[in-house]
Amino acid sequence: MAIIHVDGKQYEVKGGENLLQTCLSLGLDIPYFCWHPALDSVGACRQCAVKQYKDGDDKQGRIVMSCMTPTTDNTWISIDDEESKEFRETIISFLMTNHPHDCPVCEEGGHCHLQDMTVMTGHHNREYRFTKRTHRNQELGPFIAHEMNRCISCYRCVRFYNDYAGGTDLGVYGSAANVYFGREKDGTLESEFSGNLTEVCPTGVFTDKTHSERYTRKWDMQFSPSICASCSVGCNISPGERYGEVRRIENRYHGELNGYFLCDRGRFGYGHVNRKDRPRQLLVSKDGRREAMDAGDTLDFIRQQLQAGKPVLGIGSPRASIESNYALRELVGTAHFSNGQTALDAALTRLCLDVLRQGPAKCATPSSIEDADAVLVLGEDVLATAPRIALALRQAAKGKADTMCAEKKVPDWQAASAKDIAQRLLNPVFVATPAATRFDDIAAATHRAAAPDLARLGYAIAHALDASSPAVEGLDTKTAELAQRIAAALKAAKRPLVISGTGCGDAAVIQAAANIAWALQASHPAAEICLAVPESNSIGLALFEAVDLEAALARAAAQPSVLVVVENDLYARLPAAQVDAALARSTLIVLDHQDTRTAQRAQALLPAASFAEGDGTLINYEGRAQRYFQNFDPAYYDRSVAVAESWRWLDRLQNGDAARENLDEVLAQAEAALPALKGIAAAAPNASFRIKGMKIARAPQRQSGRTAARANIFVHEPRSTQDADSALAFSMEGVNGASGVDRPPELLPFAWAPGWNSPQAWNKFQAEVGGALRGGDPGVHLVKAAASRPAYYSAVPAALKPNGALRVEPLYQHFGSEELSSLAAPIQQRIPASYAALSVGDAARLGVNHAERISITLDGQTFSLPARVRPDLPAGVLGLPVGLAGVPPLKAGSAATVAKGA
């Protein structure tokens, strides 16, 4: 602890941080540009100047940069000192010399950190009267727009993009007052985290191009606390809506999960909400044609089908909320409910859940991953399957600098000093996957092998850590030596970590990872495990313990049935012939917010709400239940729209006029019916929560033109939608406080505080800058580690022996493998062309050249793809990209035959 004195007031702080971060944590305002809570200090902008004194008697003092000055005991500073204030005003005058002052047309206007700091500093006159420096802007791809003339040379962009995210194609060129931040030449930014530039940049140099197409100022958008559904991490987001469309996605700070950053798939993949081909009315098929019908008639038609005497089967979905899956289970009965996952996905997800429940290793969060000092990635390309984990993994590797700084008693937040001390040294990260990954550059060693051989490596590492873990027979010398090296590195670490998941589609890989984590636990209580699962609610569906999709479809194929499918495209999961066989004799009822191939075959289609139009709960990969809230009511703008949450439609089907009134009732019943969901209701305050009798506003206080939102329909301003499901109010009507003291963190729709309109306003909602939110980070853990270790897994697989046929290994893509984000037009521009990957040896054996089309026969299906010959792929393996056009649903480990020609 340390005692510091700021402008005559005494504060007790923990010490060790820089003065800027300490003062911001105390709620004191100091203007800054180059500093960022996640990027440490470089002292580039000189904007955070304060006066520091030797002691309480010193009246002279000296100006220091608070971001570069450590917080030590008995520190005396002044923020309001006149000389410091004049210095800060002079600095911002200099920074603004070449700035175009184009706030009225700048897309950053209204949530611009430069505007906030200019006002805070008191600079208000344009004193430069000469020709300003100008730059040519670059084309940077579908996500990011570039306006270099607004740059103030804070270096945040390259520090995030290169140093934090590991990008290589964005740089700084020139010198002195004529520097340029961009690429060597025009072209799409390659990093999967490029979208964070829009929030990292304190001005309008890098802006959201997807927002530009339908631009709205921040104060005129309506926000809601929401959860990203593009993977299983559960990053917190703030979708912004105007005129019934989602206009942009911003990061919603969560100290343990996403922190300040999102991946591009989560940030720009919201386009499926705005698609024009979405079902928005209730549709019934008649004579092969779909016709819109009113709700009463359609629901009566569906009830008639449900009561026709045929077996009624319900197929849920790991991309649908817990509430919707529970409502379906209630409608059809527990014995007739399917989790909607393939047998393989369901078994692997269940295995991951068992590992987290039965073993002593705690599940790692992205925040704790950053603190790991030795990591093994076994079989999982997390950049494609759980991207935020990959970003955290980079920080774990760079953590070597923190350790070395501590040894030399140098503050680790001194970015330049830390880089000089560490040079290129990294914490050991070992990457063992079927193919090369985009984070191999931080790896101490890489290992390429098919899933069974990856599992054998994992089992060997566990045995090296604990001799009571099963040994691996017949392991080749090179792999055995690597196993010993990895085991030694994990054993020497203080916070070792094992990362794996379902990406390989092989249970042995997950079991091997579990053995390693459990073997470490005996001597390393801080050892953790992280297991990525396929979709946003995969763990939630595993808690239902329902039958898999193949079992449900087999029942439907055996006898005429009524199939009720909730937010699930069956054709994206199983071969078309298998789905067709089940649907041929079935009456199909579909609830979805996309017009999928399954929805197009439905006898009745109910328009479900997307994440932006409804409320629900998702359970992420670590078993954390989190609530997302309705962003807007589409019927407010168009009364013909009949969109509602799937759970609400199902409730009306089952209970008619006695349907539950709000989300809280559904949650209460779900908790009572499923003990595994106990506590899920506490993921957020219930609908009765109020602050001084008022709800919490979804929109900023300055929101204007609500009448204009419907002026093209009718001049009269109707009453805003009344939300019975949450403690949030539509529009700006309600509590819109200046800090998180008055609002629970689960109910923070966006970040704003007096004088802080930019994303940096999140600092005002944290208990400590860069730490947890006041009141704790959102979410309730439903899955907890056991106190003791179970028996080790012992089914060591045999080594892969190529025999002519090739083993299929799924290759997940950051862009294209996730269903909903792939429907967004900007994401579609980043989806790679389909291909089939072959090793160099297999290509030579088959006489196949790179880019030559090959014919593939797999599980009774034959299709053609261009070959991609890859030196990183092991022999005997056929790598197929998941979800890309022309690639059918895959079953990992299947045997495929390959021949030349289409």
Side-chain angles (χ1 to χ4, degrees), residues 80 93 153 186 199 282 285 355 382 479 496 576 771 801 836 855 877 887:
D80 295 332
S93 296
S153 302
D186 287 15
E199 294 186 23
L282 295 87
S285 291
V355 169
V382 287
T479 305
K801 295 182 179 179
S855 177
V877 164
V887 181

Side-chain angles (χ1 to χ4, degrees), residues 381 431-437 440 447-449 454 811 870 872-874:
D381 184 356
V431 181
T433 50
T437 72
D440 283 356
H447 182 67
R448 304 280 95 93
L454 292 175
L811 302 179
R870 291 176 53 162
D872 59 303
L873 208 65

